[in-house]
Each structure stands twice: as C-alpha cells, then as structure tokens.
PDB file of all heavy atoms in Angstrom:
ATOM      1  N   ASP A 263      -9.755 -14.193  11.976  1.00  0.00           N
ATOM      2  CA  ASP A 263      -9.347 -15.123  10.920  1.00  0.00           C
ATOM      3  C   ASP A 263      -9.434 -14.502   9.530  1.00  0.00           C
ATOM      4  O   ASP A 263      -8.976 -15.090   8.555  1.00  0.00           O
ATOM      5  CB  ASP A 263     -10.202 -16.396  10.970  1.00  0.00           C
ATOM      6  CG  ASP A 263     -11.674 -16.133  10.716  1.00  0.00           C
ATOM      7  OD1 ASP A 263     -12.150 -15.007  11.021  1.00  0.00           O
ATOM      8  OD2 ASP A 263     -12.362 -17.035  10.212  1.00  0.00           O
ATOM      9  N   ARG A 264     -10.012 -13.297   9.423  1.00  0.00           N
ATOM     10  CA  ARG A 264     -10.109 -12.614   8.137  1.00  0.00           C
ATOM     11  C   ARG A 264      -8.956 -11.633   7.921  1.00  0.00           C
ATOM     12  O   ARG A 264      -8.924 -10.922   6.930  1.00  0.00           O
ATOM     13  CB  ARG A 264     -11.449 -11.856   8.010  1.00  0.00           C
ATOM     14  CG  ARG A 264     -12.686 -12.692   8.276  1.00  0.00           C
ATOM     15  CD  ARG A 264     -12.691 -13.972   7.464  1.00  0.00           C
ATOM     16  NE  ARG A 264     -12.733 -13.729   6.030  1.00  0.00           N
ATOM     17  CZ  ARG A 264     -12.366 -14.619   5.118  1.00  0.00           C
ATOM     18  NH1 ARG A 264     -11.893 -15.806   5.488  1.00  0.00           N
ATOM     19  NH2 ARG A 264     -12.446 -14.325   3.830  1.00  0.00           N
ATOM     20  N   GLN A 265      -8.019 -11.595   8.885  1.00  0.00           N
ATOM     21  CA  GLN A 265      -6.863 -10.719   8.745  1.00  0.00           C
ATOM     22  C   GLN A 265      -5.957 -11.235   7.628  1.00  0.00           C
ATOM     23  O   GLN A 265      -5.794 -12.444   7.439  1.00  0.00           O
ATOM     24  CB  GLN A 265      -6.091 -10.656  10.057  1.00  0.00           C
ATOM     25  CG  GLN A 265      -4.899  -9.708  10.026  1.00  0.00           C
ATOM     26  CD  GLN A 265      -4.423  -9.365  11.413  1.00  0.00           C
ATOM     27  OE1 GLN A 265      -4.741  -8.323  11.941  1.00  0.00           O
ATOM     28  NE2 GLN A 265      -3.659 -10.262  12.015  1.00  0.00           N
ATOM     29  N   LEU A 266      -5.351 -10.313   6.910  1.00  0.00           N
ATOM     30  CA  LEU A 266      -4.429 -10.684   5.846  1.00  0.00           C
ATOM     31  C   LEU A 266      -3.183 -11.356   6.412  1.00  0.00           C
ATOM     32  O   LEU A 266      -2.766 -11.083   7.540  1.00  0.00           O
ATOM     33  CB  LEU A 266      -4.012  -9.442   5.056  1.00  0.00           C
ATOM     34  CG  LEU A 266      -5.112  -8.672   4.316  1.00  0.00           C
ATOM     35  CD1 LEU A 266      -4.529  -7.435   3.662  1.00  0.00           C
ATOM     36  CD2 LEU A 266      -5.791  -9.547   3.284  1.00  0.00           C
ATOM     37  N   SER A 267      -2.585 -12.213   5.623  1.00  0.00           N
ATOM     38  CA  SER A 267      -1.294 -12.778   5.999  1.00  0.00           C
ATOM     39  C   SER A 267      -0.227 -11.706   5.795  1.00  0.00           C
ATOM     40  O   SER A 267      -0.441 -10.726   5.060  1.00  0.00           O
ATOM     41  CB  SER A 267      -0.977 -13.995   5.128  1.00  0.00           C
ATOM     42  OG  SER A 267      -0.676 -13.570   3.795  1.00  0.00           O
ATOM     43  N   PRO A 268       0.946 -11.856   6.424  1.00  0.00           N
ATOM     44  CA  PRO A 268       2.023 -10.878   6.206  1.00  0.00           C
ATOM     45  C   PRO A 268       2.374 -10.700   4.728  1.00  0.00           C
ATOM     46  O   PRO A 268       2.600  -9.573   4.276  1.00  0.00           O
ATOM     47  CB  PRO A 268       3.193 -11.476   6.994  1.00  0.00           C
ATOM     48  CG  PRO A 268       2.546 -12.263   8.082  1.00  0.00           C
ATOM     49  CD  PRO A 268       1.317 -12.848   7.449  1.00  0.00           C
ATOM     50  N   LEU A 269       2.387 -11.796   3.963  1.00  0.00           N
ATOM     51  CA  LEU A 269       2.731 -11.688   2.547  1.00  0.00           C
ATOM     52  C   LEU A 269       1.635 -10.973   1.770  1.00  0.00           C
ATOM     53  O   LEU A 269       1.922 -10.144   0.895  1.00  0.00           O
ATOM     54  CB  LEU A 269       2.972 -13.077   1.953  1.00  0.00           C
ATOM     55  CG  LEU A 269       3.395 -13.097   0.475  1.00  0.00           C
ATOM     56  CD1 LEU A 269       4.663 -12.276   0.255  1.00  0.00           C
ATOM     57  CD2 LEU A 269       3.591 -14.528  -0.009  1.00  0.00           C
ATOM     58  N   GLU A 270       0.364 -11.260   2.072  1.00  0.00           N
ATOM     59  CA  GLU A 270      -0.740 -10.567   1.394  1.00  0.00           C
ATOM     60  C   GLU A 270      -0.680  -9.065   1.664  1.00  0.00           C
ATOM     61  O   GLU A 270      -0.871  -8.247   0.757  1.00  0.00           O
ATOM     62  CB  GLU A 270      -2.078 -11.138   1.871  1.00  0.00           C
ATOM     63  CG  GLU A 270      -2.373 -12.532   1.337  1.00  0.00           C
ATOM     64  CD  GLU A 270      -3.558 -13.180   2.028  1.00  0.00           C
ATOM     65  OE1 GLU A 270      -3.834 -12.843   3.210  1.00  0.00           O
ATOM     66  OE2 GLU A 270      -4.203 -14.039   1.406  1.00  0.00           O
ATOM     67  N   ALA A 271      -0.412  -8.701   2.917  1.00  0.00           N
ATOM     68  CA  ALA A 271      -0.310  -7.286   3.266  1.00  0.00           C
ATOM     69  C   ALA A 271       0.862  -6.631   2.540  1.00  0.00           C
ATOM     70  O   ALA A 271       0.758  -5.487   2.063  1.00  0.00           O
ATOM     71  CB  ALA A 271      -0.157  -7.124   4.778  1.00  0.00           C
ATOM     72  N   TYR A 272       1.967  -7.351   2.430  1.00  0.00           N
ATOM     73  CA  TYR A 272       3.134  -6.794   1.740  1.00  0.00           C
ATOM     74  C   TYR A 272       2.845  -6.585   0.259  1.00  0.00           C
ATOM     75  O   TYR A 272       3.269  -5.575  -0.321  1.00  0.00           O
ATOM     76  CB  TYR A 272       4.338  -7.711   1.909  1.00  0.00           C
ATOM     77  CG  TYR A 272       5.571  -7.192   1.209  1.00  0.00           C
ATOM     78  CD1 TYR A 272       6.229  -6.066   1.675  1.00  0.00           C
ATOM     79  CD2 TYR A 272       6.050  -7.811   0.053  1.00  0.00           C
ATOM     80  CE1 TYR A 272       7.354  -5.566   1.026  1.00  0.00           C
ATOM     81  CE2 TYR A 272       7.165  -7.320  -0.603  1.00  0.00           C
ATOM     82  CZ  TYR A 272       7.809  -6.197  -0.109  1.00  0.00           C
ATOM     83  OH  TYR A 272       8.908  -5.697  -0.767  1.00  0.00           O
ATOM     84  N   ARG A 273       2.122  -7.509  -0.356  1.00  0.00           N
ATOM     85  CA  ARG A 273       1.767  -7.346  -1.774  1.00  0.00           C
ATOM     86  C   ARG A 273       0.888  -6.108  -1.980  1.00  0.00           C
ATOM     87  O   ARG A 273       1.020  -5.398  -2.983  1.00  0.00           O
ATOM     88  CB  ARG A 273       1.054  -8.596  -2.298  1.00  0.00           C
ATOM     89  CG  ARG A 273       1.907  -9.860  -2.317  1.00  0.00           C
ATOM     90  CD  ARG A 273       3.161  -9.682  -3.130  1.00  0.00           C
ATOM     91  NE  ARG A 273       3.945 -10.905  -3.206  1.00  0.00           N
ATOM     92  CZ  ARG A 273       5.255 -10.947  -3.353  1.00  0.00           C
ATOM     93  NH1 ARG A 273       5.949  -9.821  -3.446  1.00  0.00           N
ATOM     94  NH2 ARG A 273       5.901 -12.099  -3.411  1.00  0.00           N
ATOM     95  N   ILE A 274      -0.013  -5.865  -1.034  1.00  0.00           N
ATOM     96  CA  ILE A 274      -0.840  -4.664  -1.115  1.00  0.00           C
ATOM     97  C   ILE A 274       0.035  -3.424  -0.972  1.00  0.00           C
ATOM     98  O   ILE A 274      -0.135  -2.433  -1.697  1.00  0.00           O
ATOM     99  CB  ILE A 274      -1.935  -4.669  -0.037  1.00  0.00           C
ATOM    100  CG1 ILE A 274      -2.944  -5.789  -0.296  1.00  0.00           C
ATOM    101  CG2 ILE A 274      -2.644  -3.313   0.019  1.00  0.00           C
ATOM    102  CD1 ILE A 274      -3.728  -5.645  -1.573  1.00  0.00           C
ATOM    103  N   PHE A 275       0.978  -3.458  -0.032  1.00  0.00           N
ATOM    104  CA  PHE A 275       1.894  -2.329   0.113  1.00  0.00           C
ATOM    105  C   PHE A 275       2.630  -2.063  -1.195  1.00  0.00           C
ATOM    106  O   PHE A 275       2.784  -0.908  -1.604  1.00  0.00           O
ATOM    107  CB  PHE A 275       2.911  -2.569   1.230  1.00  0.00           C
ATOM    108  CG  PHE A 275       4.029  -1.568   1.194  1.00  0.00           C
ATOM    109  CD1 PHE A 275       3.863  -0.307   1.731  1.00  0.00           C
ATOM    110  CD2 PHE A 275       5.232  -1.862   0.549  1.00  0.00           C
ATOM    111  CE1 PHE A 275       4.873   0.652   1.646  1.00  0.00           C
ATOM    112  CE2 PHE A 275       6.251  -0.916   0.462  1.00  0.00           C
ATOM    113  CZ  PHE A 275       6.065   0.338   1.018  1.00  0.00           C
ATOM    114  N   GLU A 276       3.114  -3.116  -1.855  1.00  0.00           N
ATOM    115  CA  GLU A 276       3.825  -2.939  -3.127  1.00  0.00           C
ATOM    116  C   GLU A 276       2.946  -2.231  -4.152  1.00  0.00           C
ATOM    117  O   GLU A 276       3.417  -1.356  -4.890  1.00  0.00           O
ATOM    118  CB  GLU A 276       4.269  -4.291  -3.662  1.00  0.00           C
ATOM    119  CG  GLU A 276       5.419  -4.929  -2.896  1.00  0.00           C
ATOM    120  CD  GLU A 276       5.920  -6.187  -3.564  1.00  0.00           C
ATOM    121  OE1 GLU A 276       5.089  -7.051  -3.937  1.00  0.00           O
ATOM    122  OE2 GLU A 276       7.155  -6.318  -3.736  1.00  0.00           O
ATOM    123  N   LEU A 277       1.671  -2.601  -4.183  1.00  0.00           N
ATOM    124  CA  LEU A 277       0.742  -1.951  -5.109  1.00  0.00           C
ATOM    125  C   LEU A 277       0.573  -0.470  -4.752  1.00  0.00           C
ATOM    126  O   LEU A 277       0.604   0.400  -5.636  1.00  0.00           O
ATOM    127  CB  LEU A 277      -0.609  -2.661  -5.075  1.00  0.00           C
ATOM    128  CG  LEU A 277      -1.738  -2.002  -5.869  1.00  0.00           C
ATOM    129  CD1 LEU A 277      -1.432  -1.997  -7.359  1.00  0.00           C
ATOM    130  CD2 LEU A 277      -3.058  -2.716  -5.604  1.00  0.00           C
ATOM    131  N   LEU A 278       0.396  -0.180  -3.469  1.00  0.00           N
ATOM    132  CA  LEU A 278       0.232   1.205  -3.030  1.00  0.00           C
ATOM    133  C   LEU A 278       1.485   2.015  -3.344  1.00  0.00           C
ATOM    134  O   LEU A 278       1.396   3.171  -3.786  1.00  0.00           O
ATOM    135  CB  LEU A 278      -0.060   1.247  -1.531  1.00  0.00           C
ATOM    136  CG  LEU A 278      -1.366   0.597  -1.068  1.00  0.00           C
ATOM    137  CD1 LEU A 278      -1.426   0.570   0.453  1.00  0.00           C
ATOM    138  CD2 LEU A 278      -2.577   1.323  -1.636  1.00  0.00           C
ATOM    139  N   TYR A 279       2.634   1.421  -3.135  1.00  0.00           N
ATOM    140  CA  TYR A 279       3.901   2.095  -3.428  1.00  0.00           C
ATOM    141  C   TYR A 279       3.995   2.428  -4.924  1.00  0.00           C
ATOM    142  O   TYR A 279       4.365   3.544  -5.306  1.00  0.00           O
ATOM    143  CB  TYR A 279       5.064   1.204  -3.003  1.00  0.00           C
ATOM    144  CG  TYR A 279       6.429   1.724  -3.404  1.00  0.00           C
ATOM    145  CD1 TYR A 279       7.076   2.675  -2.626  1.00  0.00           C
ATOM    146  CD2 TYR A 279       7.060   1.267  -4.569  1.00  0.00           C
ATOM    147  CE1 TYR A 279       8.332   3.152  -2.994  1.00  0.00           C
ATOM    148  CE2 TYR A 279       8.298   1.749  -4.936  1.00  0.00           C
ATOM    149  CZ  TYR A 279       8.931   2.683  -4.145  1.00  0.00           C
ATOM    150  OH  TYR A 279      10.163   3.170  -4.518  1.00  0.00           O
ATOM    151  N   GLN A 280       3.644   1.453  -5.751  1.00  0.00           N
ATOM    152  CA  GLN A 280       3.704   1.664  -7.192  1.00  0.00           C
ATOM    153  C   GLN A 280       2.755   2.779  -7.630  1.00  0.00           C
ATOM    154  O   GLN A 280       3.113   3.646  -8.429  1.00  0.00           O
ATOM    155  CB  GLN A 280       3.366   0.368  -7.934  1.00  0.00           C
ATOM    156  CG  GLN A 280       3.597   0.442  -9.434  1.00  0.00           C
ATOM    157  CD  GLN A 280       5.042   0.725  -9.792  1.00  0.00           C
ATOM    158  OE1 GLN A 280       5.963   0.222  -9.154  1.00  0.00           O
ATOM    159  NE2 GLN A 280       5.256   1.564 -10.810  1.00  0.00           N
ATOM    160  N   ARG A 281       1.536   2.768  -7.085  1.00  0.00           N
ATOM    161  CA  ARG A 281       0.565   3.810  -7.427  1.00  0.00           C
ATOM    162  C   ARG A 281       1.054   5.176  -6.951  1.00  0.00           C
ATOM    163  O   ARG A 281       0.869   6.186  -7.640  1.00  0.00           O
ATOM    164  CB  ARG A 281      -0.792   3.502  -6.805  1.00  0.00           C
ATOM    165  CG  ARG A 281      -1.485   2.308  -7.401  1.00  0.00           C
ATOM    166  CD  ARG A 281      -1.948   2.564  -8.836  1.00  0.00           C
ATOM    167  NE  ARG A 281      -2.786   1.479  -9.309  1.00  0.00           N
ATOM    168  CZ  ARG A 281      -2.344   0.363  -9.840  1.00  0.00           C
ATOM    169  NH1 ARG A 281      -1.032   0.173  -9.983  1.00  0.00           N
ATOM    170  NH2 ARG A 281      -3.173  -0.584 -10.236  1.00  0.00           N
ATOM    171  N   ALA A 282       1.656   5.213  -5.768  1.00  0.00           N
ATOM    172  CA  ALA A 282       2.163   6.485  -5.249  1.00  0.00           C
ATOM    173  C   ALA A 282       3.264   7.039  -6.149  1.00  0.00           C
ATOM    174  O   ALA A 282       3.369   8.255  -6.344  1.00  0.00           O
ATOM    175  CB  ALA A 282       2.686   6.306  -3.824  1.00  0.00           C
ATOM    176  N   CYS A 283       4.087   6.160  -6.705  1.00  0.00           N
ATOM    177  CA  CYS A 283       5.139   6.587  -7.625  1.00  0.00           C
ATOM    178  C   CYS A 283       4.556   7.134  -8.926  1.00  0.00           C
ATOM    179  O   CYS A 283       5.083   8.081  -9.510  1.00  0.00           O
ATOM    180  CB  CYS A 283       6.079   5.428  -7.933  1.00  0.00           C
ATOM    181  SG  CYS A 283       7.111   4.887  -6.551  1.00  0.00           S
ATOM    182  N   GLU A 284       3.459   6.530  -9.375  1.00  0.00           N
ATOM    183  CA  GLU A 284       2.867   6.881 -10.668  1.00  0.00           C
ATOM    184  C   GLU A 284       1.982   8.118 -10.620  1.00  0.00           C
ATOM    185  O   GLU A 284       1.939   8.904 -11.575  1.00  0.00           O
ATOM    186  CB  GLU A 284       2.036   5.704 -11.182  1.00  0.00           C
ATOM    187  CG  GLU A 284       2.841   4.444 -11.486  1.00  0.00           C
ATOM    188  CD  GLU A 284       1.956   3.235 -11.715  1.00  0.00           C
ATOM    189  OE1 GLU A 284       0.723   3.331 -11.484  1.00  0.00           O
ATOM    190  OE2 GLU A 284       2.483   2.192 -12.117  1.00  0.00           O
ATOM    191  N   LEU A 285       1.250   8.294  -9.516  1.00  0.00           N
ATOM    192  CA  LEU A 285       0.245   9.350  -9.440  1.00  0.00           C
ATOM    193  C   LEU A 285       0.859  10.704  -9.113  1.00  0.00           C
ATOM    194  O   LEU A 285       1.864  10.801  -8.401  1.00  0.00           O
ATOM    195  CB  LEU A 285      -0.810   9.004  -8.385  1.00  0.00           C
ATOM    196  CG  LEU A 285      -1.696   7.796  -8.681  1.00  0.00           C
ATOM    197  CD1 LEU A 285      -2.579   7.477  -7.482  1.00  0.00           C
ATOM    198  CD2 LEU A 285      -2.558   8.063  -9.919  1.00  0.00           C
ATOM    199  N   ASP A 286       0.247  11.751  -9.619  1.00  0.00           N
ATOM    200  CA  ASP A 286       0.641  13.118  -9.301  1.00  0.00           C
ATOM    201  C   ASP A 286       0.392  13.367  -7.817  1.00  0.00           C
ATOM    202  O   ASP A 286      -0.747  13.278  -7.356  1.00  0.00           O
ATOM    203  CB  ASP A 286      -0.192  14.089 -10.142  1.00  0.00           C
ATOM    204  CG  ASP A 286       0.174  15.552  -9.901  1.00  0.00           C
ATOM    205  OD1 ASP A 286       0.939  15.827  -8.955  1.00  0.00           O
ATOM    206  OD2 ASP A 286      -0.339  16.409 -10.642  1.00  0.00           O
ATOM    207  N   PRO A 287       1.426  13.658  -7.032  1.00  0.00           N
ATOM    208  CA  PRO A 287       1.234  13.842  -5.590  1.00  0.00           C
ATOM    209  C   PRO A 287       0.329  15.014  -5.241  1.00  0.00           C
ATOM    210  O   PRO A 287      -0.182  15.085  -4.117  1.00  0.00           O
ATOM    211  CB  PRO A 287       2.664  14.052  -5.068  1.00  0.00           C
ATOM    212  CG  PRO A 287       3.430  14.543  -6.251  1.00  0.00           C
ATOM    213  CD  PRO A 287       2.824  13.846  -7.428  1.00  0.00           C
ATOM    214  N   GLU A 288       0.137  15.915  -6.190  1.00  0.00           N
ATOM    215  CA  GLU A 288      -0.776  17.035  -5.951  1.00  0.00           C
ATOM    216  C   GLU A 288      -2.232  16.612  -6.105  1.00  0.00           C
ATOM    217  O   GLU A 288      -3.136  17.318  -5.664  1.00  0.00           O
ATOM    218  CB  GLU A 288      -0.466  18.188  -6.918  1.00  0.00           C
ATOM    219  CG  GLU A 288       0.940  18.745  -6.794  1.00  0.00           C
ATOM    220  CD  GLU A 288       1.231  19.306  -5.406  1.00  0.00           C
ATOM    221  OE1 GLU A 288       0.292  19.861  -4.790  1.00  0.00           O
ATOM    222  OE2 GLU A 288       2.371  19.169  -4.940  1.00  0.00           O
ATOM    223  N   GLN A 289      -2.452  15.468  -6.738  1.00  0.00           N
ATOM    224  CA  GLN A 289      -3.814  14.994  -6.972  1.00  0.00           C
ATOM    225  C   GLN A 289      -4.286  14.005  -5.910  1.00  0.00           C
ATOM    226  O   GLN A 289      -5.456  13.988  -5.540  1.00  0.00           O
ATOM    227  CB  GLN A 289      -3.908  14.344  -8.353  1.00  0.00           C
ATOM    228  CG  GLN A 289      -3.572  15.268  -9.499  1.00  0.00           C
ATOM    229  CD  GLN A 289      -4.484  16.481  -9.554  1.00  0.00           C
ATOM    230  OE1 GLN A 289      -5.698  16.354  -9.448  1.00  0.00           O
ATOM    231  NE2 GLN A 289      -3.892  17.662  -9.714  1.00  0.00           N
ATOM    232  N   MET A 290      -3.397  13.141  -5.423  1.00  0.00           N
ATOM    233  CA  MET A 290      -3.783  12.157  -4.424  1.00  0.00           C
ATOM    234  C   MET A 290      -2.601  11.767  -3.554  1.00  0.00           C
ATOM    235  O   MET A 290      -1.511  11.510  -4.046  1.00  0.00           O
ATOM    236  CB  MET A 290      -4.365  10.890  -5.070  1.00  0.00           C
ATOM    237  CG  MET A 290      -4.855   9.869  -4.032  1.00  0.00           C
ATOM    238  SD  MET A 290      -5.307   8.267  -4.747  1.00  0.00           S
ATOM    239  CE  MET A 290      -6.729   8.736  -5.727  1.00  0.00           C
ATOM    240  N   GLU A 291      -2.861  11.719  -2.242  1.00  0.00           N
ATOM    241  CA  GLU A 291      -1.886  11.224  -1.283  1.00  0.00           C
ATOM    242  C   GLU A 291      -2.309   9.840  -0.818  1.00  0.00           C
ATOM    243  O   GLU A 291      -3.462   9.615  -0.472  1.00  0.00           O
ATOM    244  CB  GLU A 291      -1.794  12.153  -0.067  1.00  0.00           C
ATOM    245  CG  GLU A 291      -0.820  11.653   0.985  1.00  0.00           C
ATOM    246  CD  GLU A 291      -0.858  12.453   2.271  1.00  0.00           C
ATOM    247  OE1 GLU A 291      -1.842  13.180   2.497  1.00  0.00           O
ATOM    248  OE2 GLU A 291       0.095  12.332   3.060  1.00  0.00           O
ATOM    249  N   ILE A 292      -1.367   8.896  -0.808  1.00  0.00           N
ATOM    250  CA  ILE A 292      -1.628   7.530  -0.344  1.00  0.00           C
ATOM    251  C   ILE A 292      -0.850   7.302   0.941  1.00  0.00           C
ATOM    252  O   ILE A 292       0.338   7.625   1.023  1.00  0.00           O
ATOM    253  CB  ILE A 292      -1.204   6.499  -1.408  1.00  0.00           C
ATOM    254  CG1 ILE A 292      -2.034   6.674  -2.687  1.00  0.00           C
ATOM    255  CG2 ILE A 292      -1.350   5.078  -0.875  1.00  0.00           C
ATOM    256  CD1 ILE A 292      -1.590   5.797  -3.841  1.00  0.00           C
ATOM    257  N   LEU A 293      -1.520   6.763   1.943  1.00  0.00           N
ATOM    258  CA  LEU A 293      -0.868   6.479   3.211  1.00  0.00           C
ATOM    259  C   LEU A 293      -1.460   5.237   3.852  1.00  0.00           C
ATOM    260  O   LEU A 293      -2.546   4.782   3.483  1.00  0.00           O
ATOM    261  CB  LEU A 293      -0.976   7.666   4.166  1.00  0.00           C
ATOM    262  CG  LEU A 293      -2.367   8.181   4.527  1.00  0.00           C
ATOM    263  CD1 LEU A 293      -2.336   8.857   5.890  1.00  0.00           C
ATOM    264  CD2 LEU A 293      -2.842   9.218   3.488  1.00  0.00           C
ATOM    265  N   THR A 294      -0.734   4.662   4.798  1.00  0.00           N
ATOM    266  CA  THR A 294      -1.225   3.497   5.526  1.00  0.00           C
ATOM    267  C   THR A 294      -1.178   3.777   7.024  1.00  0.00           C
ATOM    268  O   THR A 294      -0.385   4.601   7.498  1.00  0.00           O
ATOM    269  CB  THR A 294      -0.396   2.225   5.232  1.00  0.00           C
ATOM    270  OG1 THR A 294       0.941   2.403   5.714  1.00  0.00           O
ATOM    271  CG2 THR A 294      -0.387   1.920   3.744  1.00  0.00           C
ATOM    272  N   VAL A 295      -2.032   3.064   7.756  1.00  0.00           N
ATOM    273  CA  VAL A 295      -2.136   3.223   9.208  1.00  0.00           C
ATOM    274  C   VAL A 295      -2.105   1.835   9.849  1.00  0.00           C
ATOM    275  O   VAL A 295      -2.603   0.867   9.270  1.00  0.00           O
ATOM    276  CB  VAL A 295      -3.438   3.958   9.587  1.00  0.00           C
ATOM    277  CG1 VAL A 295      -3.574   4.110  11.100  1.00  0.00           C
ATOM    278  CG2 VAL A 295      -3.503   5.331   8.922  1.00  0.00           C
ATOM    279  N   ASP A 296      -1.530   1.764  11.038  1.00  0.00           N
ATOM    280  CA  ASP A 296      -1.525   0.541  11.860  1.00  0.00           C
ATOM    281  C   ASP A 296      -0.522  -0.510  11.393  1.00  0.00           C
ATOM    282  O   ASP A 296      -0.632  -1.671  11.772  1.00  0.00           O
ATOM    283  CB  ASP A 296      -2.918  -0.110  11.942  1.00  0.00           C
ATOM    284  CG  ASP A 296      -3.982   0.869  12.362  1.00  0.00           C
ATOM    285  OD1 ASP A 296      -3.688   1.705  13.227  1.00  0.00           O
ATOM    286  OD2 ASP A 296      -5.101   0.807  11.821  1.00  0.00           O
ATOM    287  N   ALA A 297       0.459  -0.110  10.594  1.00  0.00           N
ATOM    288  CA  ALA A 297       1.546  -1.032  10.225  1.00  0.00           C
ATOM    289  C   ALA A 297       2.817  -0.211  10.028  1.00  0.00           C
ATOM    290  O   ALA A 297       3.220   0.086   8.901  1.00  0.00           O
ATOM    291  CB  ALA A 297       1.211  -1.819   8.969  1.00  0.00           C
ATOM    292  N   PRO A 298       3.474   0.182  11.127  1.00  0.00           N
ATOM    293  CA  PRO A 298       4.691   0.988  11.011  1.00  0.00           C
ATOM    294  C   PRO A 298       5.778   0.345  10.153  1.00  0.00           C
ATOM    295  O   PRO A 298       6.627   1.044   9.606  1.00  0.00           O
ATOM    296  CB  PRO A 298       5.147   1.138  12.468  1.00  0.00           C
ATOM    297  CG  PRO A 298       3.888   0.994  13.265  1.00  0.00           C
ATOM    298  CD  PRO A 298       3.077  -0.033  12.522  1.00  0.00           C
ATOM    299  N   GLN A 299       5.724  -0.990  10.039  1.00  0.00           N
ATOM    300  CA  GLN A 299       6.719  -1.672   9.210  1.00  0.00           C
ATOM    301  C   GLN A 299       6.631  -1.262   7.744  1.00  0.00           C
ATOM    302  O   GLN A 299       7.588  -1.475   6.981  1.00  0.00           O
ATOM    303  CB  GLN A 299       6.579  -3.193   9.334  1.00  0.00           C
ATOM    304  CG  GLN A 299       5.214  -3.745   9.018  1.00  0.00           C
ATOM    305  CD  GLN A 299       4.349  -3.921  10.267  1.00  0.00           C
ATOM    306  OE1 GLN A 299       4.461  -3.150  11.222  1.00  0.00           O
ATOM    307  NE2 GLN A 299       3.514  -4.944  10.274  1.00  0.00           N
TER     308      GLN A 299
END
C-alpha cells in the first residue's frame, strides 16, 4: 500500500529526466530500474 501511484511515479520520472538534461553527464549518471516503461 506504500507503492507510488502511476502518476506519482511519472512525476518523479519527469524530475529525473529534467535533472539528467541539466547535469553534466560526466559528473553524474541517472538511471531507473524495475520500470521499463
């Protein structure tokens, strides 16, 4: 019951995507696991 809703998970993905766009890829790599979507 503590699992995120699909929309909550998608909002987190949007944040991770935005950070990945902003950050120097040589300094930090961002990735996700267990959600191929």
Side-chain angles (χ1 to χ4, degrees):
D263 63 332
R264 307 309 297 160
Q265 183 163 261
L266 298 177
S267 71
L269 182 57
E270 288 169 333
Y272 180 70
R273 295 303 183 209
I274 293 296
F275 168 81
E276 288 187 312
L277 173 64
L278 296 173
Y279 173 83
Q280 188 61 39
R281 291 291 189 275
C283 291
E284 296 168 352
L285 294 173
D286 181 350
E288 300 300 326
Q289 300 301 313
M290 183 189 294
E291 178 188 17
I292 297 174
L293 58 154
T294 65
V295 179
D296 308 321
Q299 55 265 33

